[in-house]
Amino acid sequence: AIATPVAPVASNATEPAFFKPVTQPELFNLLNLIRPWQMISDTKIRLGSDADGGYVMPSSSLRSNTVISIGIGNEVSFDNELARLGARVIQFDHTIDSTPSTLPGIEFNRLGWGALDEHPFVSLHSMVSMVDWTKARHPILKFDTEGAEWNCLVDARNEDLDRFEVLTGEFHDFQNLVNRPHFDQVMAVFIKLRTTHRVIHMHANNAGGMVMLGGIPFPRLLELTFMRKRSASFHGHSSEPIPGPLDRPNVPRLPELYLRAF
C-alpha cells in the first residue's frame, strides 16, 4: 500500500476553509484514493514510447476502436500505436497547428480541453458528442495537459467519464497540495473518478522529482491509469512494485522514482 488512511483531524468549524492548513492525515487519505487495484479479469500491457508518452494499459485496449487523446505536442507514439491497430483517434491540442502523425484514423482538432466551451477550448461533453457510442468498443480517454486536467475533470459530467473503459493521463502539480484550494480540487477529482473507475496503474514521472509535504514524499508528476469498475473484476489492492516491470523512466538519463516504500 502507498499509504494507510488515517482519520481526519478535528478542526475549528468557524475557520475559513481557504486558511485551513492541509494536514498529514488528509494527505494520507488522498493517497488512499489512488492506491492501485489488482485486476483479475485482464493483464496489463504498455502502449507507446519506451520513454515519455507511453502508458501502461489493460490489454483490452489493444481492441479499442475509439480514443480521445488530449494534449499532443510532438509525442504521438501512443496514438499511433492505437491507430495502427484500427482505432479512430480524435486528437485535441490548441498549442500546435497540426498533428505530427500521418496515419489514417488520426483526426486532429486545434482545440484545447476546457471546463466549458470557450474557444479555443471545448469541454469533455462536447468531445464525447463527436463519437458514435453505439459502435464504440473499449473506449479510451488519454490526456497530458500540463495541469489543466484538474479544472476540466472536476467539472466533467460523471456520465461522460463513465463512457470510457480506460482513463489514462499525467497528473501535475502535486507539490502544490499544501495549498488548500488546490488540495480540495485534487481531492474532489479523485473522489469523482472513484465513483466510476479504479486506479490500476501508477508511475511517477521522474522529470519532476520528489517533494516533501507534511513529512510525506510526493512526486510532482504522476501517471495514472484508471479502469472502469463495471468493465473489470478486481481482487483488492495491488502489491506490484512502483515502478513495475512495464514502466520506463520518462527521462531516460534520470533514475526512476520508487514509491512502494511510501
Side-chain angles (χ1 to χ4, degrees), residues 70-73 91-98 108-114 118-122 145 148:
I70 311 171
I72 308 304
Q91 295 179 332
F92 293 88
D93 195 323
H94 67 296
T95 68
I96 56 177
D97 293 328
S98 61
F108 177 73
N109 297 271
R110 194 166 184 261
L111 297 166
W113 190 14
E118 295 177 340
H119 189 79
F121 303 102
V122 289
T145 55

Side-chain angles (χ1 to χ4, degrees), residues 22 27 30 173-179 182-183 186 213 218:
V22 176
L27 292 167
L30 187 148
D173 301 327
F174 285 95
Q175 74 277 7
N176 293 330
L177 285 175
V178 290
N179 179 301
H182 183 66
F183 175 87
V186 171
L213 303 177
F218 269 81

